[in-house]
Amino acid sequence: MTERRLSGTGVAPRSGAGTGVWYGPDAAVALGDPPDPDSVDAERERDRFEEAREVAREELRRARDRTAERLGESEAAVFDAHVQFLDDPQITEDVDAELDAGYPAEHAVRRAFDRVIEEFADLDGRMAERADDLRDVRDRLLRLLLDEERTDLAALPPGSVVLAERLTPSDTARLDPDRIAGFATVSGGPTSHAAIFARSLGLPAVVGVGEALRDVDDGAEVVVDGSEGTVVVDPAESTLEAAAADADVEVRRDPVATADGTPIEVAANAGTEADVRAAVEHGADGIGLFRTEFLFLDQSSPPTEDEQYDVYREALAAFPDGRVVVRTLDVGGDKPVDYLDRPESENPFLGERGVRRSLGPDADLFETQLRALLRAAGDADGGRLSVMVPLVSTVEEVDAATETLDSVAADLDADGVSNARPEFGVMVETPAAAFLAEDLLDRVDFLSVGTNDLAQYVMAAARGDERVAGLRDYRQPAVLRAIEATVAAAAGTDAWVGICGEMAGDPDLTPLLVGLGFDELSVSPPAVPQIKRAVAETTRSDARELARRALAAATKQEVTEILDASR
Amino acid sequence: MPERVVTVVPEDGLHARPASKFVEAAGEADAEITVGRVDGDQVNAVSMVSVTRLDVEPGEEVRLIAEGDGAEAALDELVRILTTPEDEL
């Protein structure tokens, strides 16, 4: 049998192989017609309803705890809302009325919930999401009332690959990553609850596969490749072997070196406290890109110096022996912040964003952030703190940012506030920064290449525009050469060079990156074990030869062939 | 009856987590509480369905009315929830 490949959106950079198990929550709620009201004992039905509600409440409490532990408080809050729907006076009164009218408990629940669900489902956006929550609560009650032996996600045989139309928050809370090899869904996007969950656990998953997924038979052999975003049905032996190698990656707590002894730091990118926890769990050596936007976005006012200080200190405390590279505020572009004045820009990605704002309209925010960072750097109990500024394109910007850093340090000293001068670096994201790498290195301690933006700007191909995705690819020779210009400039200096874009998280490219001369690779937390393994399997001398050949290639096709041949 | 008019601050408005916290606090209060737009109908603050259905966005004003021994304390707490940015809740 030849293998079939279906594509969707991959949400965790890992593969899993196993037996497909269709999971259909809707199947459990099929009810026949209600019986004759005279044959129903209303009191007994009321007791059944109350009992189911009690068990549901307990289940939700457990789901909440589990989710809080795995994903954090804000994701767990969805279960608080479920409890409130369960206890909603309007719905329970409605259920009561249906019980009085002689409906058995399951029919009463369905009738009462469906009225509200229909009303919410007709509305837009988040009201429709509430309809999903209500369905989730309704189905939980129905399952309990019917004693349904439905597919229990928490008790699937090890090696199952869950296939579903979609997975609700309740469903994802029940997925046990130690047993389940992965999941694939017909609908759902990269920001769905299921996708967030999969990413934070490193669980192989592909969402939004579309109708084609429905043709996969229950019991079929399936490989879910979360890095490519493919579901492979009836996989060939070679595909299975590759997936198996991918699935059992051991977490290495210690730093790694190449097979011939060159140490390479493997750090993680983080944007939330949950990411920092995930980085520790997956054995990252430190944080290579700590995005600070989450502190500033989705709020009505900027975070205070103390609030920021606490966050930076916690990140440092998580890596007592490592390094935490904090990127200063990177807004503008596509990230709206309500309390910041942002003029309309015809092309925000080429407009006032990143360091351009920090040295202009957001100068106050920048100073406050640096104060918090310098104070955190002064704490002896955490790891080393590094600060880097985004979107640099001139030497003057680096000089101005350094001056601000110096003046903030002088202010703190004058106020008698304990602080220390952190390592200072810039992100190389513009062709300008790549061309100027040598001059930048005269002024900073390190460079970190952000490949997503660098590819966008080198190739003049906007991120988010799928029509030019083929251009915006780090296998493009022009992108590789911009990266090489940056790394080469650092050779023989004291500065180190890291890479923190998506390119770093692809284990197929690890030898190339090692060969180019990177000292540090920073990747999404779940990708850390794979990248560490790839580093350990790489020989520096071979990697250099590979990089030399790749850099000589004139087309993306040639680069791809060179990389494929080296695997 | 004690009442307050307050401008809703959380980014999600009276949805999701803020709504959840609001309904939870209303349920724990020793008072009967209703909520609604200043010029609109008041609904039971303990009902997640009713509160969510108001579809209150950040920046909108709502009126809270409370009746019972714990009315003032309950209003203080609910006002706090409605005027606190989401990630500090």
Side-chain angles (χ1 to χ4, degrees), chain B residues 1 5 9 16 26 37 41-43 48 51-52 55 62 66 76 81 83:
Chain B
M1 261 182 290
V5 171
V9 167
R37 284 199 175 70
D41 293 338
Q42 291 287 118
V43 303
M48 187 69 173
V51 168
T52 304
D55 199 13
V62 294
D76 287 346
I81 290 169
T83 55

Side-chain angles (χ1 to χ4, degrees), chain A residues 131-350:
Chain A
D132 285 342
D133 287 332
L134 283 159
R135 282 193 197 97
D136 203 345
V137 176
R138 174 198 65 188
D139 291 350
R140 181 182 296 279
L141 282 169
L142 290 179
R143 181 172 48 76
L144 290 165
L145 284 165
L146 297 172
D147 231 355
E148 195 77 23
E149 287 290 321
R150 95 172 160 164
T151 313
D152 183 354
L153 285 175
L156 288 175
S160 299
V161 171
V162 176
L163 309 171
E165 160 67 40
R166 64 190 184 100
L167 293 172
T168 66
S170 306
D171 297 332
T172 47
R174 295 162 67 84
L175 292 174
D176 179 353
D178 290 336
R179 303 174 71 92
I180 288 177
F183 69 81
T185 58
V186 174
S187 57
T191 58
S192 62
H193 189 91
I196 291 167
F197 182 90
R199 224 177 343 255
S200 87
L201 291 175
L203 187 66
V206 177
V207 299
V209 179
E211 294 302 315
L213 189 68
R214 294 189 205 279
D215 294 335
V216 180
D217 293 329
D218 223 6
E221 208 169 354
V222 182
V223 167
V224 173
D225 183 335
S227 60
E228 299 281 328
T230 51
V231 175
V232 188
V233 190
D234 300 326
E237 200 54 41
S238 56
T239 308
L240 277 175
E241 279 167 17
D246 227 25
D248 299 319
V249 196
E250 160 204 14
V251 171
R252 303 168 191 242
R253 306 260 161 225
D254 298 330
V256 287
T258 59
D260 46 354
T262 305
I264 304 280
E265 195 176 329
V266 180
N269 299 334
T272 62
E273 289 160 53
D275 289 344
V276 173
R277 278 200 305 277
V280 172
E281 270 168 36
H282 289 97
D285 300 329
I287 300 291
L289 168 64
F290 190 64
R291 301 185 181 91
T292 54
E293 289 77 67
F294 75 101
L295 288 164
F296 294 83
L297 298 172
D298 300 332
Q299 335 216 62
S300 51
S301 59
T304 65
E305 180 185 322
D306 283 346
E307 281 164 2
Q308 293 190 56
Y309 168 76
D310 288 342
V311 170
Y312 304 146
R313 254 178 51 130
E314 269 171 42
L316 281 169
F319 291 96
D321 304 316
R323 172 157 52 199
V324 174
V325 182
V326 177
R327 178 175 72 186
T328 58
L329 184 58
D330 183 12
V331 291
D334 59 343
K335 296 166 189 151
V337 180
D338 290 343
Y339 50 84
L340 297 182
D341 184 32
R342 194 160 62 101
E344 283 290 310
S345 173
E346 195 170 312
N347 195 335
F349 286 104
L350 300 178

Side-chain angles (χ1 to χ4, degrees), chain A residues 73-74 77 80-81 84-85 88-91 116 119-120 126-127 130 134 294-295 298-301 307 338, chain B residues 9 11-13 15-17 19-20 23-24 44 46-50 52-53 55-58 85 87-88:
Chain A
E73 278 297 312
S74 71
D80 292 333
Q84 282 148 357
F85 283 128
D88 195 288
Q90 188 190 329
I91 298 178
V116 190
E119 191 187 332
F120 276 53
R126 46 193 181 180
M127 298 295 257
R130 295 296 82 74
L134 283 159
F294 75 101
L295 288 164
D298 300 332
Q299 335 216 62
S300 51
S301 59
E307 281 164 2
D338 290 343
Chain B
V9 167
E11 184 74 11
D12 277 334
H15 284 272
R17 190 145 68 118
S20 210
V23 171
E24 189 184 339
N44 185 351
V46 176
S47 165
M48 187 69 173
V49 168
S50 306
T52 304
R53 193 163 32 205
D55 199 13
V56 174
E57 304 284 336
D87 63 335
E88 291 165 31

